[in-house]
Structures are given as C-alpha cells and as structure tokens.
Amino acid sequence: MNPGDLDFFSTRDLIDELLRRTTFQGVIIHAKQEVRTPSWQGERVFSVRHSANLDAGEAGRLMDVVRPHLPTLP
C-alpha cells in the first residue's frame, strides 16, 4: 500500500478497521473532528475507543500504564 492510498479513507474508517482486527489489543485516542493542519487551534476534544478484546477496566489500566510515558503539553 502506498502512503497516498490512505487519503481515500476517513479517520473513522481507518479506526473502525483497526478495531475490527482481532490482533489489535489496545486503546485509540483521537480528535472528535478531523484535523488537516499541523498546528492545533481551539479546544481539544477527544474520543477514546478500545478493542473488543479489552473490557473497560482493562482499557483503563492500559491507559494508566502508558500515561507516565507521554509528554505533557504546556
């Protein structure tokens, strides 16, 4: 697949495809609205989705493990 091929799919389509895959066991945090610019303007609103392989508690524990490794924003 060429990187340009992804331009034909919406972010929602790509996330849905990833969540359908049984090999994916994780959490996806994404902007509620698609962003097409490198810099972010305005309020940041996110949506969190997790694979069917994890229940809500497991997804929360996974996020607790990852959180300390993420940089904080000013």
Side-chain angles (χ1 to χ4, degrees):
M1 177 182 286
N2 295 321
D5 293 344
L6 294 177
D7 292 341
F8 297 110
F9 298 95
S10 70
T11 301
R12 181 175 305 277
D13 291 338
L14 295 171
I15 291 170
D16 289 344
E17 175 61 27
L18 184 58
L19 290 173
R20 272 193 296 277
R21 295 174 183 241
T22 57
T23 55
F24 177 73
Q25 295 187 14
V27 176
I28 299 172
I29 302 170
H30 62 93
K32 282 217 176 236
Q33 297 187 4
E34 294 202 24
V35 178
R36 298 283 183 186
T37 60
S39 63
W40 200 303
Q41 297 176 351
E43 187 175 330
R44 298 174 183 187
V45 180
F46 298 94
S47 181
V48 178
R49 295 176 61 188
H50 60 84
S51 67
N53 300 326
L54 301 173
D55 63 28
E58 292 170 321
R61 287 190 294 281
L62 177 59
M63 290 173 57
D64 284 342
V65 169
V66 172
R67 184 177 34 91
H69 303 283
L70 299 174
T72 56
L73 298 174

